[in-house]
Amino acid sequence: MNQVIQTIKARRSIRKYTDQQISDDHLNAILEAGLYAPTAHNQQPWHFTVIQKPEVLALINKKTRDAMLNTGIEWMTRMASKEDFKVTYNAPTLIVVSGKKDAMAMEADCSAAIQNMLVAAESLDIGSVWLGLVRLVFQDEEVKNALNIPEDYKPYYSVSFGHKAQDKALPAPRRNRDVIQFIR
Ligand SMILES: Cc1cc2nc3c(=O)[nH]c(=O)nc-3n(C[C@H](O)[C@H](O)[C@H](O)COP(=O)(O)O)c2cc1C
């Protein structure tokens, strides 16, 4: 099978990481892949905050856990109640992707960048997982101060990256195939 398609299909959300930091070469290759995503009107309306500082990762983990426990949403409180729960799964690198507030299609553009980064990471055998739960704390004052995102950008989603702490490839969740219609 074509190598790119093979990599796309092999990528899985990874939720167990080793302590080893990813190399700057790998990090830069992943960021570069993000920058090569398509964007509406070629606006490239994104900003990437690379977090590798343990104190900031710990702050995000703690605040997100507290926020999840306070939502009153059963699956979130159950998830956050687990003693070892960390929203970033202890990955040593977290990238927050923010979009320019006045961009034409910031959500689509940022999502395209994220997907490029996930696939690039898999091609380098780096594990990753797209994180929505971190959004719960993007408006928290302490987190805002720690992230220092430029005023004209809004944090959108974040992604954990690190070395996979599991030997075998995870099986892919079953994909629905009855969602494709041909008109030809
Ligand atoms: C917008 C979005 C938000 C997500 N948020 C989380 C999250 O907060 N935590 C998590 O463990 N996985 C999260 N995921 C990963 C999905 O759970 C995962 O992609 C899905 O279960 C399919 O598995 P796969 O990525 O291995 O194919 C998110 C994925 C997307 C696209």
Side-chain angles (χ1 to χ4, degrees):
M1 199 196 298
N2 165 295
Q3 186 63 53
V4 175
I5 296 174
Q6 216 169 330
T7 305
I8 289 170
K9 292 183 76 173
R11 180 212 58 79
R12 295 275 67 77
S13 292
I14 299 300
R15 299 185 176 90
K16 262 192 187 161
Y17 296 92
T18 70
D19 294 339
Q20 191 195 347
Q21 186 53 273
I22 62 174
S23 71
D24 280 352
D25 279 354
H26 282 168
L27 174 62
N28 289 330
I30 290 167
L31 288 164
E32 183 81 358
L35 293 177
Y36 269 77
T39 53
H41 275 229
N42 188 32
Q43 287 188 326
Q44 302 178 38
W46 41 44
H47 180 272
F48 301 84
T49 309
V50 180
I51 307 162
Q52 295 184 321
K53 201 175 185 170
E55 301 90 300
V56 177
L57 292 170
L59 176 74
I60 290 170
N61 274 313
K62 185 192 174 307
K63 290 275 181 175
T64 308
R65 185 182 199 183
D66 292 348
M68 286 170 73
L69 290 170
N70 285 328
T71 55
I73 299 170
E74 203 271 331
W75 69 265
M76 279 207 205
T77 45
R78 189 165 18 93
M79 198 169 167
S81 301
K82 293 197 181 120
E83 209 182 312
D84 58 350
F85 175 74
K86 299 267 168 49
V87 72
T88 65
Y89 300 103
N90 289 318
T93 295
L94 182 75
I95 299 183
V96 175
V97 180
S98 303
K100 199 117 192 276
K101 289 175 184 167
D102 61 358
M104 288 179 74
M106 86 86 143
E107 298 198 352
D109 299 340
C110 288
S111 295
I114 291 172
Q115 181 64 15
N116 268 15
M117 294 196 294
L118 300 182
V119 174
E122 175 60 30
S123 78
L124 300 165
D125 201 26
I126 300 292
S128 64
V129 57
W130 186 328
L131 297 175
L133 287 167
V134 175
R135 288 160 68 95
L136 287 171
V137 298
F138 282 154
Q139 294 316 312
D140 178 278
E141 281 308 316
E142 247 185 290
V143 172
K144 273 166 79 172
N145 285 340
L147 296 183
N148 198 21
I149 291 165
E151 190 50 44
D152 42 346
Y153 289 84
K154 182 174 179 243
Y156 179 49
Y157 275 103
S158 60
V159 189
S160 274
F161 293 95
H163 290 279
K164 303 170 187 174
Q166 56 208 28
D167 306 334
K168 284 190 277 164
L170 293 169
R174 198 183 71 80
R175 260 50 185 179
N176 266 340
R177 302 205 170 264
D178 58 356
V179 289
I180 301 169
Q181 180 182 8
F182 294 95
I183 299 175
R184 58 186 180 188

